[in-house]
Amino acid sequence: MEYRLLGRSGLKVSTLTVGTMTFGGKGWAKTVGDLGVNEAKKLVDMSLDAGVNLIDTADVYSNGVSEEIVGEIIGGKRRNDVLLATKARFPMGDGPNDAGSSRHHLIRACEASLKRLKTDVIDLYQLHEWDGLTPLEETMEALDMLVRQGKVRYIGCSNFSGWHIMKALGVSTSEHRQRFVSQQIHYSLESRDAEYELLPVSIDQGLGVLVWSPLAGGLLSGKHRRDKTAEGSRQLAGWDEPPIRDEDRLWDIVDTLVDIAESRNVSGAQVALAWLIGRKAVTSVIIGGRTKAQFKDNLAAAELVLTVEERQRLDDVSAPPILYPYWHQVRTAKDRLGEADLSLLGPHV
């Protein structure tokens, strides 16, 4: 297992992270998984034995049950060997202040997460999504206070846009507050939108990148093909995150990754995960599942190194359309530089 620094911090995290949305099975999360403590412990133990050192959860996963299960699993001596990441922002009650990124909600949410996780400190505390109502000065001050109180060690964000991140970092700098060390994003062979702004921002600002839904809800596992979808998939259960906007393109990607997988005698999931692990700016890829077989297969991706040719095939078949302003930059750069290297324009080129 390889370990990488999380952004500009000194914290080293494994290239694979345990995702826990399948733990609990309460509320909307029951469409993803309903693992109890005993089942989840087997998956976590397997992952830690393979060298994974980061577990990612959120208070909203199964209405707090996911955090409770993680707390049961990593309590005691094993806590010292594990980094815990969780998130807050979404509703955890019916009250007017039971959601958002206000000082009031974040402090209460953090304290509640600490109790559920049975720990005295959260290693990485993340804003789960942008809150356009609360002033960022209030939000960043609250996170800064949690760090100074010793309840949180590092802070990050999730599902922010490029300008959201830059605005938050600007507030941190101007007010001398704790700074985000990472962002958690949706990124996969099927959806490479992050290459337009989120990855360039991460490189420029020194943010670590944690990737969620790396297999597009299982569609990039290699088990789903153009003419059939495996039973029990999230897609069949009504799960539509992430949305698939171009089905033909999806199956072209799957055909290519399966072809590469078969030539290497590995699974399609391993190829898709290995592609992400090797992408510029990516720190760790979050893996999830409901069975030991799924986790065992995903964990093997940490040791798979794709060739330059294999990576190029995947890059070509999954290349996103070049959107404004990048099409303009590419055109003008070609006019100016001819066929010279255009890599300075960003990872999407």
Side-chain angles (χ1 to χ4, degrees):
M1 183 68 65
E2 180 187 351
Y3 300 90
R4 298 173 178 173
L5 290 173
L6 187 63
R8 290 179 182 167
S9 77
L11 189 67
K12 294 181 179 179
V13 302
S14 49
T15 52
L16 291 177
T17 294
V18 174
T20 62
M21 193 184 291
T22 58
F23 297 2
K26 303 296 182 181
W28 56 265
K30 65 185 177 182
T31 63
V32 182
D34 58 355
L35 300 180
V37 174
N38 293 335
E39 297 166 297
K41 185 176 187 303
K42 294 176 183 177
L43 303 183
V44 171
D45 287 346
M46 175 189 297
S47 300
L48 300 187
D49 289 344
V52 173
N53 73 343
L54 178 61
I55 298 176
D56 179 75
T57 186
D59 58 3
V60 75
Y61 293 170
S62 291
N63 301 321
V65 177
S66 176
E67 287 185 326
E68 291 175 354
I69 291 174
V70 172
E72 289 291 330
I73 294 172
I74 57 88
K77 295 181 179 179
R78 200 142 210 192
R79 174 65 182 98
N80 295 326
D81 301 323
V82 180
L83 300 173
L84 288 180
T86 191
K87 317 178 198 71
R89 188 264 184 257
F90 289 121
M92 289 299 290
D94 297 326
N97 292 304
D98 289 339
S101 298
S102 68
R103 181 187 296 109
H104 175 88
H105 179 67
L106 288 179
I107 292 173
R108 290 183 63 195
C110 180
E111 292 174 347
S113 288
L114 287 169
K115 290 180 181 179
R116 287 189 290 263
L117 290 167
K118 296 186 176 181
T119 186
D120 57 0
V121 62
I122 293 166
D123 296 292
L124 177 63
Y125 199 50
Q126 304 158 101
L127 298 178
H128 209 156
E129 193 173 75
W130 174 257
D131 175 4
L133 299 179
T134 304
L136 268 172
E137 291 78 6
E138 177 180 339
T139 298
M140 301 314 294
E141 188 274 337
L143 294 174
D144 185 86
M145 183 181 71
L146 290 171
V147 173
R148 296 185 187 283
Q149 289 179 339
K151 296 176 181 178
V152 169
R153 290 196 173 120
Y154 299 93
I155 60 172
C157 61
S158 178
N159 304 316
F160 273 37
S161 70
W163 74 266
H164 292 153
I165 292 172
M166 290 306 301
K167 188 171 182 178
L169 293 177
V171 169
S172 294
T173 298
S174 65
E175 300 201 348
H176 306 288
R177 303 295 186 190
Q178 291 293 318
R179 189 177 187 275
F180 292 150
V181 298
S182 64
Q183 62 165 321
Q184 188 172 141
I185 66 173
H186 173 226
Y187 185 35
S188 72
L189 273 168
E190 194 284 322
S191 182
R192 294 174 57 182
D193 310 58
E195 294 175 14
Y196 293 121
E197 301 226 359
L198 296 181
L199 294 187
V201 163
S202 292
I203 294 170
D204 181 70
Q205 295 297 311
L207 297 176
V209 173
L210 307 178
V211 176
W212 65 267
S213 196
L215 299 179
L219 289 175
L220 298 177
S221 65
K223 298 178 181 178
H224 309 283
R225 304 304 296 273
R226 192 181 302 269
D227 57 345
K228 66 183 180 69
T229 302
E231 292 295 330
S233 73
R234 292 184 193 174
Q235 300 293 325
L236 291 183
W239 182 265
D240 61 356
E241 189 177 45
I244 304 300
R245 297 185 175 87
D246 187 340
E247 191 170 335
D248 287 336
R249 174 177 170 274
L250 165 67
W251 298 126
D252 288 343
I253 294 169
V254 171
D255 289 342
T256 301
L257 73 85
V258 168
D259 186 58
I260 293 172
E262 290 176 348
S263 69
R264 297 290 295 273
N265 196 29
V266 297
S267 70
Q270 289 180 40
V271 173
L273 294 172
W275 179 83
L276 276 171
I277 292 172
R279 295 298 286 176
K280 191 174 183 179
V282 170
T283 308
S284 186
V285 178
I286 300 171
I287 58 172
R290 288 173 277 190
T291 68
K292 292 181 68 174
Q294 289 174 324
F295 265 78
K296 181 178 180 180
D297 182 74
N298 288 353
L299 289 168
E303 307 299 326
L304 178 62
V305 178
L306 299 176
T307 67
V308 173
E309 292 75 18
E310 288 168 340
R311 298 194 68 85
Q312 190 61 59
R313 287 182 63 191
L314 292 168
D315 289 347
D316 291 344
V317 74
S318 64
I322 299 177
L323 303 178
Y324 180 82
Y326 299 105
W327 63 263
H328 184 264
Q329 293 180 28
V330 171
R331 185 187 67 184
T332 55
K334 286 181 178 178
D335 291 343
R336 185 173 67 254
L337 302 175
E339 295 303 318
D341 184 10
L342 303 179
S343 61
L344 291 178
L345 297 181
H348 56 281
V349 176

